[in-house]
């Protein structure tokens, strides 16, 4: 191979790279603005004589139409469509049910799940789909998103090393091997890798990533981040006690067939026991909106609001079993789905002079009435220190009554259109879920996934097929689709693509690779492999991992042949190591999670630095053990 000479163009590109890294680390300006600045700088410099290879001005903005960027836009829309149907709510509820609400239990479940999904779906797609899941988990548990999103994002990247379709470098590898075989003698020709050839390596990396954050997370993960922009409304028990002095909580109880409650009406039970049955679970179905004259059937479960001592006596008296925490009702009472709302009866309302039972209030409005605030008086089923319990189901409404009720947010959104009520509460998620569209959303998601796995259709087109399908079937409106896209991520990645191309087109990458390999000449085989891995890692930080793979695989094969090593092993080392992108947010996944979690570049340097070293150690050990 002819020795490359360092040129003026290479010097300009190297200086631009250094300037980019300085802007990213110092954060003098926002990182997405820094990327746009570099894009403009490259475009202007390309007009300087002698710097023609820096960028083609006519194709400077091609990054905005690149496969990677369009894929990110499409997968964000697909994820928003799934979220709009409530599927991600159910995924979050399942994770919380299995893993509890502590960081130590939620983190491995979320990260491990995303890691497995990203072994078949592009890692940025898996991360984007789980963004709303982490959002809901954060809102329900109080765990800051910054404590969950980085482990999830890193494991999404690591998951791409589990199969030969998990990341673009691994997808390309077999093609590059075939090309390299043309220049190798028959005895040294490489065999293509099978779909699951790299699975042991990927599994070891995912386990390492999860263990790293579990053991060192308290020191390396940023703390004190605010919750995501998901308004949680008001928690039931805290709000009732703070505002109205009602010392009540929500309890879940089992009703066996031999309970005295069987056959009794909900309204009578509430009135006679100073509590409030707010929801029932019967034959696999949870019902919060029902007529209070409905009778108890068994076996079932009840969600009851009341004082712990009152509910405990009630349970003992009626042969019920109190559960230590909410189980089947945990999703219904999640703060992202339902909570406490305040509704006023205005003058001239059609409900004045009527009582909740006459109006079938819970069935017609979704309001589970807990108290009526009338002047200085509080009327409630629940007994307090200052007030006796009242049968509020029989109290006639008056103008100015403030109703305190538990309600699902989508029902409250619809209630705002009814002029018989004035909804005072405003701090709650006011988007309307569309569970009736779940089959369309799942259908188009599975269609996209099938196209990715079983056809050679371009990734961006596969994902856009699913996104457009969801728009046409009104899972999402086009305005909602625009709103779901993280445009800061799009501009960050699209603006950096020309920089990676400049590194490659000017020969800067090839020159740098050659210098490093000259230094490694004559070293032991294992050190050559380490050098190749480090080189691939560095290149993946400043250019596309595909570009780094295409550039380095032929070099790695040549080095292996010259050193008497296994060329297939060295080629695979490159393809695996280009996923080692954790130190700065230039990887698509890191750029995706940066905004929602409020990360700074220094957070990636701090957490990603150790992860980079662990990746190198574990991947190199496993590569040599497996192959």
């Amino acid at each position: 191979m002819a020795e490359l000479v360092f040129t003026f163009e290479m010097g300009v590109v190297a200086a631009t790279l250094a300037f980019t890294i300085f802007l990213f680390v110092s954060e003098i300006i926002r990182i997405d603005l820094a990327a746009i600045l570099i894009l403009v700088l490259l475009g202007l410099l390309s007009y300087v004589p002698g710097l023609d290879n820096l960028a083609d001005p006519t194709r400077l903005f091609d990054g905005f139409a690149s496969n990677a960027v369009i894929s990110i836009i499409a997968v964000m829309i697909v994820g928003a469509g799934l979220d709009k149907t409530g599927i991600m709510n159910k995924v979050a509820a399942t994770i919380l049910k299995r893993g509890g609400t502590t960081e130590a239990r939620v983190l491995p479940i979320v990260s491990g799940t995303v890691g497995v999904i990203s072994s078949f779906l592009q890692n940025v797609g898996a991360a984007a789909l789980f963004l709303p899941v982490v959002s809901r988990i954060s809102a329900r548990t109080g765990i800051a998103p910054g404590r969950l999103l980085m482990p999830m994002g890193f494991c999404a990247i690591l998951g791409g090393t589990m199969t030969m379709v998990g990341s673009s470098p691994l997808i390309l590898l077999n093609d590059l091997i075939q090309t390299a075989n043309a220049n190798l003698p028959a005895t040294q020709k490489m065999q293509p890798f099978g779909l699951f050839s790299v699975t042991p390596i990927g599994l070891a990396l995912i386990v390492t990533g999860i263990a790293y954050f579990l053991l060192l997370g308290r020191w390396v993960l940023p703390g004190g981040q605010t919750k995501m922009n998901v308004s949680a409304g008001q928690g039931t028990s805290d709000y009732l006690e703070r505002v109205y002095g009602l010392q009540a909580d929500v309890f879940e109880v089992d009703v066996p067939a031999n309970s005295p409650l069987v056959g009794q009406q909900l309204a009578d039970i509430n009135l006679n026991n100073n509590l409030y049955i707010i929801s029932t679970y019967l034959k696999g179905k949870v019902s919060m909106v029902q007529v209070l004259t409905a009778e108890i059937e068994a076996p079932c479960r009840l969600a009851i609001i009341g004082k712990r001592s009152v509910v405990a006596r009630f349970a003992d008296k009626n042969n019920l079993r109190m559960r230590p925490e909410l189980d089947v009702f945990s999703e219904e009472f999640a703060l992202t789905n339902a909570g406490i709302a305040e509704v006023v009866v205005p003058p001239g309302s059609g409900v004045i002079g009527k009582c909740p039972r006459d109006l079938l209030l819970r069935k017609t409005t979704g309001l589970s009435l807990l108290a009526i605030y009338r002047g200085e008086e509080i009327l409630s089923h629940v007994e307090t220190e200052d007030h006796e319990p009242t049968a509020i189901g029989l109290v006639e409404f008056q103008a100015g009554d403030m109703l305190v009720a538990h309600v699902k947010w989508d029902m409250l959104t619809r209630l705002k259109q009814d002029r018989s009520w004035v909804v005072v509460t405003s701090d709650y998620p006011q988007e309307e879920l569309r569970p009736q569209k779940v089959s369309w959303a799942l259908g188009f998601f599975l269609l996209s996934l099938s196209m990715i796995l079983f056809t050679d259709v371009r990734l961006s087109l596969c994902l856009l097929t699913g996104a457009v399908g969801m728009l046409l079937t009104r899972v999402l409106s086009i305005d909602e689709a625009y709103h779901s896209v993280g445009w800061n991520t799009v501009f960050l990645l699209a603006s950096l693509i020309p920089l990676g191309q400049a590194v490659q087109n000017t020969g800067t990458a090839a020159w740098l690779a050659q210098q490093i390999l000259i230094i490694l000449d004559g070293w032991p085989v294992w050190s050559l492999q380490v050098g190749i891995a480090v080189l691939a890692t560095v290149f993946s930080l400043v250019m596309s991992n595909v570009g780094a793979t295409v550039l380095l695989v032929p070099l790695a094969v040549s080095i292996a042949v010259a050193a008497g090593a296994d060329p297939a092993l060295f080629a695979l080392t490159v393809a695996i190591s280009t996923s080692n992108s954790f130190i700065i947010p230039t990887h698509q996944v890191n750029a995706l999670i940066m905004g929602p979690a409020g990360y700074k570049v220094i957070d990636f340097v701090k957490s990603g630095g150790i992860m980079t070293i662990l990746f190198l150690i574990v991947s190199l050990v496993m590569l040599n053990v497996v192959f």
Side-chain angles (χ1 to χ4, degrees), residues 127-202:
L129 287 176
F130 261 72
L131 267 178
V133 174
V134 175
S135 164
R136 279 148 179 75
I137 290 174
S138 173
R140 297 179 197 183
T141 62
I143 302 172
R147 310 289 299 180
L148 296 176
L149 278 180
M150 190 173 287
M152 184 223 30
F154 282 14
C155 282
I157 297 173
L158 296 173
T161 63
M162 276 188 62
T163 68
M164 293 299 291
V165 297
S167 65
S168 297
L170 288 172
I171 293 173
L172 280 173
L173 182 59
N174 281 334
D175 291 338
L176 294 173
I177 283 176
Q178 287 184 354
T179 302
N181 277 341
N183 300 317
L184 294 177
T187 55
Q188 292 183 316
K189 288 189 184 297
M190 298 172 282
Q191 296 299 315
F193 293 96
L195 178 62
F196 298 106
S197 296
V198 294
T199 299
I201 301 167

Side-chain angles (χ1 to χ4, degrees), residues 3 52 86 150 292-293 298 391 444 489 503 527 551 581 620:
E3 184 175 352
D52 301 345
M150 190 173 287
L292 284 173
T293 53
F444 281 108
T489 301
V503 172
S527 62
L551 177 70
S581 303
L620 288 171

Side-chain angles (χ1 to χ4, degrees), residues 260-326:
L261 292 183
V262 177
Q264 294 189 40
Q265 292 186 356
L266 296 177
D268 294 336
I269 297 172
N270 292 341
L271 180 61
N272 297 331
N273 295 278
N274 301 332
L275 43 75
Y276 197 97
I277 299 174
I278 197 170
S279 187
T280 62
Y281 175 79
L282 178 66
K283 298 177 181 178
K285 183 179 180 181
V286 173
S287 176
M288 294 182 69
V289 180
Q290 56 192 315
V291 181
L292 284 173
T293 53
E295 296 181 351
I296 297 290
E297 298 181 51
C300 71
R301 296 188 197 179
L302 306 176
I304 303 175
I305 290 183
K307 294 175 66 174
R308 176 176 289 276
S309 58
V310 172
V311 177
R313 285 197 304 270
F314 173 72
D316 290 340
K317 176 183 175 183
N318 293 283
N319 193 27
L320 310 178
R321 182 170 74 89
M322 285 183 64
R323 290 182 171 262
E325 57 186 19
L326 294 183

Side-chain angles (χ1 to χ4, degrees), residues 318-338:
N318 293 283
N319 193 27
L320 310 178
R321 182 170 74 89
M322 285 183 64
R323 290 182 171 262
E325 57 186 19
L326 294 183
D327 180 18
V328 298
F329 297 109
S330 59
E331 175 70 10
E332 300 299 320
F333 287 88
L335 295 182
T336 47
N337 283 340

Side-chain angles (χ1 to χ4, degrees), residues 452-512:
I452 293 168
L453 295 178
F454 305 119
T455 73
D456 57 358
V457 176
R458 194 172 175 85
L459 175 66
S460 53
L461 184 55
C462 294
L463 292 169
L464 270 178
T465 300
V468 171
M470 290 186 184
L471 294 175
L472 291 176
T473 53
R474 299 186 180 180
V475 175
L476 283 177
S477 69
I478 189 67
D479 289 331
E480 290 168 337
Y482 290 142
H483 184 70
S484 69
V485 177
W487 294 108
N488 56 335
T489 301
V490 170
F491 274 83
L492 170 62
L493 294 176
S495 300
L496 286 178
I497 286 175
L499 178 60
Q501 293 172 338
V503 172
Q504 191 168 353
N505 294 341
T506 59
T508 306
W511 180 86
L512 181 60

Side-chain angles (χ1 to χ4, degrees), residues 388-408:
E388 292 295 323
T390 304
I392 56 174
L394 303 176
V395 174
E396 295 181 350
F397 290 131
Q398 297 179 8
D401 280 350
M402 171 82 81
L403 312 186
V404 183
H406 188 276
V407 63
K408 297 184 74 171

